[in-house]
Amino acid sequence: MAGSVNKVILIGNLGADPEIRRTQDGRPIANLRIATSETWRDRNSGERKEKTEWHSVVIFNEGLCKVAEQYLKKGATVYIEGQLQTRKWQDQTGNDRYSTEIVLQGFNSTLTMLGGRGEGGGASRGGNDFGGGGYDDYGSAPSAPSRSGGASSGRGASAPSGGFSRDLDDDIPF
Amino acid sequence: MAGSVNKVILIGNLGADPEIRRTQDGRPIANLRIATSETWRDRNSGERKEKTEWHSVVIFNEGLCKVAEQYLKKGATVYIEGQLQTRKWQDQTGNDRYSTEIVLQGFNSTLTMLGGRGEGGGASRGGNDFGGGGYDDYGSAPSAPSRSGGASSGRGASAPSGGFSRDLDDDIPF
Amino acid sequence: MAGSVNKVILIGNLGADPEIRRTQDGRPIANLRIATSETWRDRNSGERKEKTEWHSVVIFNEGLCKVAEQYLKKGATVYIEGQLQTRKWQDQTGNDRYSTEIVLQGFNSTLTMLGGRGEGGGASRGGNDFGGGGYDDYGSAPSAPSRSGGASSGRGASAPSGGFSRDLDDDIPF
Amino acid sequence: MAGSVNKVILIGNLGADPEIRRTQDGRPIANLRIATSETWRDRNSGERKEKTEWHSVVIFNEGLCKVAEQYLKKGATVYIEGQLQTRKWQDQTGNDRYSTEIVLQGFNSTLTMLGGRGEGGGASRGGNDFGGGGYDDYGSAPSAPSRSGGASSGRGASAPSGGFSRDLDDDIPF
DNA sequence: TTTT
DNA sequence: TTTT
């Protein structure tokens, strides 16, 4: 296909802490549930309306998984840039089912914290409860699209302590 | 929510002619199937790989429906800008099912023809088989995201029964 | 041109309070200075680097101008979606000069507050010091991009003298 | 800054062949002039209006420079994703001048051919005059932001002959 | 299940 | 001139 683009941009809040799993060969996969919502005023009744949309985000990129694991919590506001992917699976009765997810994997994927409430951690200002800097715009390098795998990973109690680097190409402004 | 963004940008090709339905009160709804694909060269084998993703696009905006009806054909390349929406419905056995679609409705939705193959219509160069100009970037005006209501739809017994309303400015291309 | 897209997406902070001017016929124009910055770690020295980029944003949309005027302050974090426009003007010596701005005008323009510091106003949480709801994602309806015309502007003698017209739907948040 | 985004998305046509220069240490830099245009119908007169905007694009990414050099010609339609950067320089009289460019460099930069007219090369359908596939969505790996340098580079007569690979991370779908 |  |  002569030039194809598949891009999703979301700003929303996490409905729950990230779930981190790990593939058999050790690569992390993070799942996020992100809510976006719209509000408007009904033309007739004049009353305020709201509609919330829930999005499933899957992070295959190792660096972004680390960010998710260490800094993201229920309630956090994030900017994400990824792509749409519909996955086929079978339910218990063997019927085909489809799930559409926003996948962060490879170049052109981004995950950026924007603050927001966040839980735990004693966040004072609203979620940016991490130290130093250097965490903006985590670019992502490609990673294997594995989706098998198992190991559970309870989120550690680890208090985030800023300062880390992208897993690739650290030394360039862009 | 203090600032929420839900945006999808696609450039891809139509897998089939648009399907146009109409609500009981006469408003059009267009459904598009759009393919995006990625190609890459396998690092180990060196062979060329390709992966195609299919997207369901639903157009509630009247002006954009007209564009779809009049100009879009199987094979056409389009740029679209819309938002993600997951719809719940029941299958024949009464089980909950979910379908995620890209919705073009209200402001910040865009549909632009980019040429491409296109079938029928005698399109010579690739689909731009329409006259004058003034068709670029059909913007859309605000609308209420309601999706309840009445009219039946040809999308199978288990598909949600259409019917919805729009608030405002449906038919202004510009 | 068969399908053209001109889109800018920024998340950044205001370097100063918005400047609001008004055309002779009373329409508001808001100017924002927005900083985006990137941080990275130098591959060799290991030291943290930062680069800030400053953007000039011009808001012609009446509804978005109100938002800017009422809610935005120096330090606020915003999401904006607009388009690039390069404006020609003459400096004091009569030489041609060009300024590139991000224009919010017409459909597909968005301004959303994302919180952030913000000054004054007694903002407790960080800038969202406004009342009710219904203010997210102020979309804008189509308009003519004319920029000729009359009213003087406070932007210096060589700045283009404001005055412009809008076609439609200036003040509809949704 | 807690999360900053600086993104430009353009679909437009090249006003001229790409200009390729080379830094002293041999890295290529490509400059593109891209036109986007909007058309609308004047509300009062009913006549069709058009406005064209010209954009300066600078490509620091080596892989994308190759694509530009080999495949892009005056008239070609491209999708680009980059970021805004304003560069300061001095004119002959020593006055400060500023130029705003769209920079493609590092992750999250994209250059995709979408067809279009194109000159020379005997392009039949409109510019996609290259063979196989494998050219979609050229992701970019970071490169040095050098902007010095000199050597001119006349565009070779090389007829593009499809099939090439990204300069990084070839073996992953995303 | 988030956020306002 | 912002923000971290």
Side-chain angles (χ1 to χ4, degrees):
Chain A
M1 187 177 300
S4 185
V5 171
N6 174 0
K7 178 172 288 290
V8 179
I9 291 172
L10 299 180
I11 296 178
N13 297 299
L14 272 68
D17 287 351
E19 287 179 28
I20 317 281
R21 296 172 295 124
R22 218 159 264 278
T23 61
Q24 288 185 320
D25 57 325
R27 286 177 173 280
I29 301 171
N31 286 271
L32 312 179
R33 286 292 284 172
I34 295 183
T36 56
S37 64
E38 303 174 80
T39 57
W40 70 99
R41 203 160 289 277
D42 185 87
R43 171 167 291 180
N44 302 313
S45 68
E47 53 184 344
R48 192 171 161 269
K49 303 266 192 171
E50 176 162 16
K51 180 160 176 292
T52 295
E53 193 68 38
W54 286 97
H55 309 271
S56 286
V57 174
V58 186
I59 309 176
F60 290 116
N61 177 273
E62 216 166 320
L64 298 184
C65 278
K66 274 184 212 161
V67 175
E69 190 167 21
Q70 292 178 27
Y71 303 119
L72 298 187
K73 291 189 161 69
K74 179 179 174 179
T77 304
V78 290
Y79 171 91
I80 75 107
E81 213 177 307
Q83 55 185 313
L84 280 175
Q85 190 167 105
T86 298
R87 194 166 41 85
K88 187 183 184 178
W89 51 285
Q90 273 79 32
D91 64 17
Q92 299 98 324
T93 60
N95 291 319
D96 286 344
R97 303 287 287 271
Y98 298 87
S99 292
T100 299
E101 297 162 322
I102 293 118
V103 174
L104 274 64
Q105 169 182 160
F107 82 91
N108 266 359
S109 291
T110 304
L111 170 61
T112 303
M113 279 216 39
L114 295 174
R117 200 85 328 116
E119 281 190 346
S124 55
R125 202 185 98 253
N128 274 358
D129 52 345
F130 40 87
Y135 61 86
D136 296 341
D137 276 355
Y138 298 93
S140 64
S143 71
S146 50
R147 203 186 159 114
S148 56
S152 71
S153 149
R155 294 192 67 253
S158 62
S161 57
F164 55 87
S165 63
R166 300 208 291 264
D167 56 338
L168 187 66
D169 303 318
D170 275 324
D171 54 350
I172 325 97
F174 305 89
Chain B
M1 188 176 299
S4 184
V5 172
N6 174 1
K7 178 173 288 289
V8 179
I9 291 173
L10 299 180
I11 296 177
N13 297 302
L14 271 68
D17 287 351
E19 287 180 28
I20 317 280
R21 296 172 294 125
R22 218 160 263 278
T23 62
Q24 285 187 320
D25 57 325
R27 287 175 173 281
I29 303 171
N31 287 271
L32 311 179
R33 286 292 284 172
I34 296 183
T36 56
S37 65
E38 304 175 79
T39 58
W40 70 98
R41 203 159 289 277
D42 185 87
R43 177 168 286 176
N44 301 313
S45 69
E47 53 184 345
R48 191 174 163 266
K49 303 264 192 173
E50 177 162 15
K51 181 162 175 291
T52 296
E53 193 68 37
W54 286 97
H55 309 270
S56 286
V57 174
V58 186
I59 308 175
F60 291 116
N61 178 274
E62 212 165 322
L64 298 184
C65 277
K66 276 184 210 159
V67 174
E69 189 166 23
Q70 292 178 27
Y71 304 121
L72 298 186
K73 292 189 159 68
K74 178 179 174 181
T77 304
V78 291
Y79 171 90
I80 74 107
E81 214 177 307
Q83 54 184 318
L84 281 174
Q85 192 165 101
T86 298
R87 195 165 39 83
K88 187 183 183 179
W89 50 284
Q90 274 79 33
D91 64 16
Q92 297 96 327
T93 59
N95 291 319
D96 286 344
R97 303 287 289 270
Y98 299 87
S99 292
T100 300
E101 297 161 324
I102 294 118
V103 174
L104 274 64
Q105 169 183 152
F107 82 91
N108 265 359
S109 292
T110 304
L111 170 61
T112 304
M113 282 216 37
L114 295 174
R117 202 94 323 117
E119 281 190 347
S124 55
R125 204 187 96 254
N128 274 358
D129 52 344
F130 39 86
Y135 62 86
D136 296 341
D137 277 355
Y138 296 91
S140 64
S143 76
S146 51
R147 181 139 188 178
S148 59
S152 73
S153 96
R155 276 230 260 157
S158 53
S161 38
F164 56 88
S165 68
R166 293 288 313 283
D167 271 0
L168 188 62
D169 298 318
D170 271 326
D171 48 2
I172 309 167
F174 240 81
Chain C
M1 187 177 300
S4 186
V5 171
N6 173 1
K7 179 172 286 289
V8 179
I9 290 172
L10 299 181
I11 296 178
N13 297 299
L14 271 67
D17 288 350
E19 286 180 29
I20 318 279
R21 295 172 293 125
R22 219 161 263 277
T23 62
Q24 286 188 318
D25 56 325
R27 288 175 173 281
I29 303 172
N31 287 271
L32 312 179
R33 286 293 284 172
I34 296 184
T36 56
S37 65
E38 305 175 77
T39 57
W40 69 99
R41 202 158 290 277
D42 185 87
R43 177 168 285 175
N44 302 312
S45 69
E47 52 184 345
R48 193 173 162 267
K49 304 265 192 172
E50 176 162 16
K51 182 162 175 293
T52 295
E53 193 68 38
W54 286 97
H55 310 270
S56 286
V57 174
V58 186
I59 309 176
F60 291 116
N61 177 276
E62 213 166 322
L64 298 185
C65 277
K66 275 184 209 159
V67 175
E69 190 167 22
Q70 293 179 26
Y71 303 121
L72 298 186
K73 291 188 161 68
K74 179 179 174 179
T77 304
V78 291
Y79 171 91
I80 75 106
E81 214 177 307
Q83 54 184 318
L84 281 174
Q85 193 165 102
T86 298
R87 194 165 40 85
K88 187 182 183 177
W89 50 284
Q90 273 79 35
D91 64 16
Q92 298 96 327
T93 61
N95 291 317
D96 286 345
R97 302 286 289 271
Y98 298 86
S99 293
T100 300
E101 297 161 324
I102 295 117
V103 174
L104 275 64
Q105 168 182 154
F107 82 92
N108 266 359
S109 292
T110 304
L111 170 61
T112 304
M113 281 215 38
L114 295 174
R117 199 89 325 116
E119 281 189 347
S124 56
R125 204 187 96 255
N128 274 359
D129 53 345
F130 39 87
Y135 61 86
D136 295 341
D137 277 355
Y138 297 90
S140 64
S143 76
S146 50
R147 182 144 187 174
S148 59
S152 73
S153 95
R155 276 230 259 159
S158 52
S161 39
F164 56 87
S165 68
R166 293 289 313 284
D167 272 0
L168 189 62
D169 297 318
D170 270 324
D171 48 3
I172 309 166
F174 242 82
Chain D
M1 187 177 298
S4 185
V5 171
N6 174 359
K7 178 172 288 289
V8 179
I9 291 173
L10 299 180
I11 296 178
N13 297 301
L14 272 68
D17 289 350
E19 287 179 28
I20 317 281
R21 296 172 295 124
R22 217 159 266 279
T23 62
Q24 289 185 320
D25 56 326
R27 286 177 174 279
I29 301 171
N31 286 270
L32 312 179
R33 285 292 285 171
I34 296 183
T36 56
S37 65
E38 303 175 81
T39 57
W40 70 98
R41 204 159 288 277
D42 185 88
R43 173 168 289 182
N44 302 313
S45 68
E47 53 184 343
R48 193 174 161 265
K49 304 264 193 173
E50 177 161 15
K51 181 162 175 289
T52 295
E53 194 67 37
W54 286 96
H55 309 271
S56 287
V57 174
V58 186
I59 309 176
F60 291 116
N61 176 273
E62 216 166 321
L64 298 184
C65 277
K66 276 184 211 159
V67 174
E69 190 167 22
Q70 292 177 28
Y71 303 118
L72 298 186
K73 291 188 161 70
K74 178 179 173 179
T77 305
V78 292
Y79 171 91
I80 75 107
E81 213 176 307
Q83 55 185 314
L84 281 175
Q85 190 165 103
T86 297
R87 194 165 41 85
K88 187 182 183 178
W89 51 285
Q90 273 79 32
D91 64 16
Q92 299 97 324
T93 60
N95 291 319
D96 286 344
R97 302 286 289 270
Y98 299 86
S99 292
T100 300
E101 297 161 322
I102 294 119
V103 174
L104 274 64
Q105 169 182 159
F107 81 92
N108 265 358
S109 292
T110 305
L111 170 60
T112 304
M113 281 214 38
L114 295 173
R117 201 91 325 114
E119 282 189 347
S124 55
R125 201 186 98 253
N128 273 359
D129 53 345
F130 38 86
Y135 62 87
D136 297 341
D137 276 356
Y138 298 92
S140 64
S143 70
S146 49
R147 200 184 164 116
S148 57
S152 71
S153 148
R155 293 193 65 253
S158 62
S161 56
F164 55 87
S165 63
R166 300 207 292 264
D167 57 339
L168 187 66
D169 302 314
D170 276 324
D171 54 349
I172 324 98
F174 306 89

